[in-house]
Amino acid sequence: NPATFSIQSNLFATNRASYHRSVIGNLVVQSTVAAGVAIVLTLFSPYLMRMFGPQFQSAAEVLVLLAWGWFLVAPSGAFWSAAVSRDQAWTNLLILAIGTVSQFVLARAWASSGARGIALALLYAGLIQVGLQAIHCYATRRRDRARDLLTV
């Protein structure tokens, strides 16, 4: 989101505590919306898939896997803005590349399972990518706290 990026960049330069609150707030908002969408899709997936015809009725599980995979990937934009505002775009790009390669490798491994295998690949690759981004964000936050303590 361009608006949060400019706000976060300014906060990073002027007030690290506010910057970190902004990142957490952005993550909470994006994750809450994504969770809401994933829950709705989980609850209504059998009904939604029936609308596409009888051959899609058994694909409700795939829609649920895709919804929760998207839930895991949704915070990636907030993590991206946080990394770029800290001048760590290359580190985040590496993490995104790891997530992408994971998705391709897992999709290839589970391709014999059809759409379910692809959806599982998205789910697990999202878990890997956002997990690494969360670890990176947490580590940089701890580093900032340590610097703040040294400057007091």
Side-chain angles (χ1 to χ4, degrees):
N1 182 335
T4 57
F5 172 69
S6 61
I7 292 168
Q8 286 177 346
S9 295
N10 187 30
L11 286 174
F12 181 74
T14 59
N15 186 337
R16 299 282 168 94
S18 294
Y19 161 79
H20 289 296
R21 281 193 303 275
S22 170
V23 170
I24 297 299
N26 193 3
L27 286 169
V28 167
V29 168
Q30 291 207 18
S31 297
T32 301
V33 170
V37 170
I39 289 169
V40 167
L41 285 173
T42 298
L43 294 175
F44 293 106
S45 64
Y47 310 107
L48 291 170
M49 295 311 288
R50 274 190 216 137
M51 292 189 321
F52 291 102
Q55 69 271 25
F56 289 98
Q57 286 180 352
S58 63
E61 177 192 10
V62 173
L63 181 59
V64 170
L65 291 172
L66 288 171
W68 288 103
W70 177 77
F71 164 75
L72 289 171
V73 174
S76 188
F79 282 124
W80 175 259
S81 291
V84 171
S85 65
R86 299 179 60 90
D87 288 333
Q88 295 179 339
W90 287 109
T91 303
N92 201 50
L93 187 61
L94 175 63
I95 293 171
L96 292 175
I98 291 169
T100 302
V101 169
S102 299
Q103 185 171 353
F104 280 116
V105 168
L106 292 171
R108 177 117 169 100
W110 295 331
S112 62
S113 298
R116 184 179 186 279
I118 306 289
L120 279 171
L122 174 71
L123 183 77
Y124 286 115
L127 185 62
I128 291 167
Q129 176 181 312
V130 171
L132 289 173
Q133 286 177 309
I135 290 168
H136 178 259
C137 188
Y138 177 75
T140 55
R141 183 177 181 179
R142 286 188 49 102
R143 252 182 282 153
D144 284 348
R145 281 188 181 159
R147 274 190 219 127
D148 289 344
L149 291 174
L150 292 174
T151 59
V152 172

